[in-house]
Amino acid sequence: MNITQEVAGTIADQTVTKYLLTNKQGTRVAVLTWGATLQEFSVVEGDRRQQLVVSEPDLTAYNQNGYCLCQALGRVAGRIAGAQFDLEGHTVQLDANNGRNAIHGSPHGFKNVNWTGTTSTTDESASVALTHTATPADDRYPGTLTTTITYTLTADNRLEISFTGTSDAATLFNPTIHTYFNVTDDQQSIDKQWLLLSGDHRLELNAEKIPTGKKLPTAGTGYDFSQPRTIADGLTQLKQAGKVEYDDAFEVVPSATTPIAAIGDVTGHRRVALYSDRNGLVVFTANPTDKKRAAARDYNALALEAQALPDAIHHADFGDIVLPANQTVTHKIAYQYLAGGKG
């Protein structure tokens, strides 16, 4: 296991460091301190290197990136209705940055700060731990919150991500990485990428993409991924209902041993299994690297955001995202690369 680091450049007059984790099979994970960004997750297949996530080579593309390209989201991923919530008898008003709602930690969330990194290795793993402390003056959430996001690459091609938070006052904590996957050979399209989900319900959303509280069955619809199904096939069925994209929250079965989801290419060259200790997965089709193709709904990336169900603070059965004062909570996500395996 090996770790190198280098100066990637500067954003907002701050030096951004790039950490490169490599295992003995040549699998690489690159992490930027800006936004705690996953810039690379790639593997060696024969005599070629295969990227699994979508990235930009230019560091400046990660500054104020509208797609949150593989960046950390927090304190809370997803939308919070009305940019406000009640906690311990007080109403908290956040900065609205999505119409009247707050999204992805608001303007001063995790993706817009430069994290501090430390590294460690064992015979079986290489890790970089990124730490950031947010105050109410920074992002208007209650409590001074210290968060550590640890990326660990294992010898068996598993990327583990943990989010550990501690606050001096009760606050909300539901972070994720806004990871965009494309596991096809050339990464030009996701039409021939299949998706499998462990759950059979999705959230009903209103016109502002805020959950109404209802959970809708997916069976027989364009949202049915109970069996491996290509994104192209799903989109075809969605279009019959007047939809043009996936930007939806699915209820999944949390597990560290059974995947909440899996993706793969139809040629059977590779797949990635996803694990999470939380009950939600946001699925979003996009083209974050080509504005013209994005406008034409020509997608080259599938975002899979493992988290508690969005807007959980307003729905008792969506999951508990309250972090009590002076307690430590850790959430975990893992991506396991596997060679071969058709859906």
Side-chain angles (χ1 to χ4, degrees):
M1 306 299 295
N2 184 58
I3 302 177
T4 62
Q5 67 182 77
E6 62 181 33
V7 174
T10 60
I11 293 179
D13 297 322
Q14 299 178 63
T15 299
V16 178
T17 300
K18 176 180 176 177
Y19 294 93
L20 186 65
L21 318 180
T22 310
N23 70 13
K24 292 180 180 179
Q25 299 180 57
T27 299
R28 297 196 311 220
V29 169
V31 178
L32 303 173
T33 54
W34 185 263
T37 300
L38 175 61
Q39 190 184 31
E40 178 183 353
F41 182 22
S42 69
V43 296
V44 175
E45 295 178 344
D47 60 356
R48 65 188 294 271
R49 178 165 294 281
Q50 176 68 41
Q51 304 294 335
L52 304 174
V53 299
V54 176
S55 65
E56 291 277 16
D58 183 0
L59 176 67
T60 61
Y62 292 94
N63 185 20
Q64 301 296 327
N65 187 285
Y67 286 93
C68 312
L69 183 61
C70 295
Q71 294 181 311
L73 303 180
R75 305 182 187 193
V76 176
R79 293 173 176 82
I80 295 179
Q84 68 175 28
F85 57 92
D86 294 332
L87 185 62
E88 295 193 335
H90 300 282
T91 297
V92 177
Q93 182 66 56
L94 304 172
D95 291 322
N97 62 332
N98 184 242
R100 66 186 190 92
N101 308 303
I103 189 171
H104 297 336
S106 295
H108 305 288
F110 288 177
K111 78 182 189 74
N112 292 319
V113 297
N114 201 25
W115 296 61
T116 300
T118 59
T119 62
S120 62
T121 59
T122 70
D123 290 342
E124 297 297 320
S125 67
S127 300
V128 56
L130 303 173
T131 301
H132 168 65
T133 298
T135 70
D138 296 329
D139 60 12
R140 302 191 67 175
Y141 281 85
T144 295
L145 172 72
T146 297
T147 302
T148 297
I149 301 176
T150 302
Y151 287 91
T152 299
L153 174 64
T154 70
D156 63 350
N157 301 326
R158 185 182 181 96
L159 173 55
E160 300 173 343
I161 309 170
S162 67
F163 307 81
T164 299
T166 306
S167 175
D168 63 0
T171 191
L172 303 189
F173 189 62
N174 185 27
T176 193
I177 304 297
H178 202 299
T179 308
Y180 287 86
F181 287 96
N182 187 328
V183 300
T184 65
D185 288 348
D186 60 11
Q187 288 199 317
Q188 289 303 300
S189 170
I190 54 171
D191 283 352
K192 294 183 179 180
Q193 178 170 276
W194 55 260
L195 172 66
L196 171 69
L197 299 178
S198 67
D200 55 9
H201 283 77
R202 66 181 179 93
L203 299 187
E204 182 183 68
L205 306 177
N206 67 17
E208 298 176 284
K209 298 186 178 180
I210 298 294
T212 66
K214 293 183 179 179
K215 297 177 182 179
L216 305 176
T218 57
T221 73
Y223 302 96
D224 187 353
F225 291 96
S226 57
Q227 298 295 321
R229 179 185 196 181
T230 64
I231 300 303
D233 182 57
L235 285 171
T236 295
Q237 190 170 358
L238 283 194
K239 288 175 183 177
Q240 295 171 357
K243 307 290 185 180
V244 296
E245 66 179 359
Y246 288 102
D247 189 1
D248 294 274
F250 292 82
E251 187 174 35
V252 294
V253 182
S255 177
T257 56
T258 300
I260 65 163
I263 50 173
D265 69 316
V266 296
T267 65
H269 289 165
R270 68 199 62 88
R271 55 196 168 104
V272 175
L274 283 71
Y275 303 83
S276 172
D277 60 2
R278 287 171 288 172
N279 66 345
L281 185 71
V282 173
V283 176
F284 175 47
T285 47
N287 194 318
T289 58
D290 188 320
K291 291 182 180 179
K292 289 184 178 179
R293 289 183 61 189
R297 305 289 183 177
D298 183 7
Y299 304 122
N300 76 333
L302 185 72
L304 298 175
E305 308 156 52
Q307 58 187 82
L309 290 171
D311 202 29
I313 190 60
H314 292 130
H315 302 276
D317 62 339
F318 279 17
D320 183 5
I321 64 170
V322 174
L323 174 61
N326 303 310
Q327 293 188 26
T328 298
V329 169
T330 297
H331 294 299
K332 296 181 179 181
I333 300 170
Y335 309 136
Q336 177 68 62
Y337 163 78
L338 299 162
K342 288 189 176 182

